[in-house]
Amino acid sequence: MQEGKFYSVRMRAAKNGSHEQGGKHISGGEKLSTLSHMKHAVNALLEKGLTHSRGTPDFMQIQFDSLDEPIKLIKPLQIETNEVESVEIGQALSWNLLEKVGISRQIIEKAYTYMTQYSGIRGAILIDIHLGERIDYKNEKGVRVSRMDWMNTNFEKWADYYKVPKNSRVKEALVLATKVCEHPATVAELCWSDDPEYITGYVASKKLGYQRISKLKEYGDERGCRIFFVDSSKDEDLNSYIQYLEKQPVIIQWGEENDS
Ligand code: PML
Ligand code: MG
Ligand code: MG
Ligand code: MG
C-alpha cells in the first residue's frame, strides 16, 4: 500500500438544485487518496459525476477529509456472474439467494417494494430481517457507505486473475459490498443501479460472496436502490453499525498469496 496520510474524497451530484433543495440525485462517488494523488482522485470523481446517464448535474460537491483512524484491509468477496435470460429469472434468482441466507419470503417481498419506493435516494436503506421494517432514520438521504477504495494495481491483478472486466462500476460496487458484508450484523445486500442504462445487479453476503445477476431490471428503468438486510439482534447499537458504514476506513486488498 502507498505510504503516507490518506484522505477520504467524496463526490455527490444532483440536477435541479442540490440534494438538500430536493434536486434529483445523479451520481455519487468515494475514494481514498494520498495528497500526491489528490488531483487524479478529484478528476476521476468529477468525470464520473459529469458523464452519468441519469443526466447532467447542476450541483456537484467534491470534498476531502484527512483520515486519522487506521485503515482496515479486507479481502474482496468471491465474485460470481450469473447470466440470466430475463429480468423475471434474474429476480427469482435473487430471491433464492436471499432465502439461502435465512431471509423469509415475506421480508424479501417487502424489500422488493422498497427497491422501487426508495429509488432515487442517494444512500442505502437498512431493513431489519425479522420485521422487514426500515430501521435507518436517514429519510431521503439513506446511509452513505463511505471511506473505502481499492488500489488500482491490486484491483487489476485481481481482475486479470478472475477474468473480470476492469471497469470502475464493478470495482466500486464490489468495494462497497465487501465493506458492508464484513460487518457481522449484515445478513445480505440487494442492489441494482438507478442508472437507466445499467441492468446488472447483485446479491451479496459473506457466505454467498458477490453474486452478480446480469438482468435485475428492464433497460431504460431509472429505478434502483441498495438495501442492507440487518440482523439487529447481532448489533444492539444501530448507531455503531451506521458509524462503521459511514466512517470506518477500508481498503480492499486481494490476498498476499496471489499478490506478488
Ligand atoms: C451502480 O453502479 O449503481 C450499482 C452497480 C451494481 C452492479 C455492478 C456489477 O456489474 O457488478
Ligand atoms: Mg449510481
Ligand atoms: Mg450512487
Ligand atoms: Mg483510488
Side-chain angles (χ1 to χ4, degrees):
M1 204 209 305
Q2 295 159 35
E3 297 291 313
K5 195 165 178 56
F6 272 79
Y7 294 76
S8 157
V9 197
R10 313 198 295 160
M11 176 278 290
R12 62 185 168 100
K15 189 186 173 102
N16 299 325
S18 67
H19 298 90
E20 289 80 1
Q21 292 166 327
K24 173 190 177 188
H25 176 65
I26 299 292
S27 176
E30 317 287 330
K31 283 186 181 300
L32 299 182
S33 176
T34 54
L35 217 43
S36 61
H37 285 81
M38 189 59 76
K39 277 189 188 168
H40 177 78
V42 168
N43 241 325
L45 290 172
L46 177 64
E47 183 72 18
K48 182 182 182 191
L50 282 178
T51 56
H52 204 284
S53 53
R54 283 175 66 77
T56 305
D58 53 30
F59 166 87
M60 189 185 292
Q61 180 175 296
I62 301 181
Q63 72 178 62
F64 67 76
D65 299 281
S66 72
L67 297 179
D68 298 318
E69 307 83 344
I71 300 175
K72 189 176 159 96
L73 297 178
I74 310 179
K75 290 200 165 99
L77 289 173
Q78 280 295 328
I79 187 168
E80 205 170 311
T81 299
N82 303 275
E83 294 288 347
V84 294
E85 298 269 302
S86 66
V87 176
E88 291 68 37
I89 297 171
Q91 293 196 351
L93 174 59
S94 76
W95 280 62
N96 289 343
L97 291 166
L98 292 167
E99 279 190 280
K100 262 195 197 165
V101 292
I103 303 164
S104 74
R105 290 192 74 81
Q106 199 192 348
I107 303 298
I108 301 170
E109 199 176 333
K110 269 195 179 178
Y112 254 85
T113 64
Y114 295 154
M115 283 301 280
T116 46
Q117 182 183 341
Y118 293 116
S119 165
I121 70 171
R122 64 186 197 265
I125 69 160
L126 272 46
I127 70 168
D128 172 70
I129 56 153
H130 304 291
L131 299 170
E133 302 300 336
R134 184 173 174 194
I135 53 172
D136 65 272
Y137 44 83
K138 302 267 180 170
N139 305 322
E140 72 290 336
K141 255 172 110 168
V143 176
R144 179 169 180 178
V145 187
S146 194
R147 300 190 166 190
M148 61 204 169
D149 209 339
W150 191 350
M151 298 306 131
N152 253 327
T153 42
N154 188 261
F155 166 71
E156 283 175 6
K157 277 187 213 168
W158 169 90
D160 281 335
Y161 187 87
Y162 287 103
K163 307 206 169 17
V164 172
K166 284 179 196 154
N167 77 53
S168 56
R169 191 188 295 265
V170 175
K171 174 179 152 181
E172 288 167 13
L174 182 53
V175 168
L176 185 146
T178 299
K179 178 177 177 184
V180 171
C181 293
E182 178 71 10
H183 196 288
T186 305
V187 178
E189 178 189 354
L190 170 65
C191 164
W192 63 80
S193 186
D194 53 8
D195 179 337
E197 293 175 359
Y198 202 80
I199 62 172
T200 298
Y202 63 88
V203 171
S205 88
K206 193 98 187 159
K207 243 193 265 172
L208 301 168
Y210 181 82
Q211 295 280 347
R212 304 178 72 216
I213 300 173
S214 64
K215 294 186 184 70
L216 271 182
K217 70 167 191 187
E218 301 294 346
Y219 193 85
D221 190 342
E222 279 210 346
R223 292 169 304 173
C225 187
R226 282 196 152 89
I227 292 186
F228 306 156
F229 295 87
V230 182
D231 185 350
S232 44
S233 66
K234 287 225 176 112
D235 194 70
E236 282 132 59
D237 185 3
L238 178 65
N239 288 326
S240 79
Y241 179 63
I242 294 176
Q243 171 85 10
Y244 166 83
L245 298 174
E246 291 179 339
K247 296 286 190 304
Q248 169 69 53
V250 164
I251 283 182
I252 305 306
Q253 192 155 39
W254 190 39
E256 284 114 52
E257 66 273 17
N258 310 101
D259 189 10
S260 54

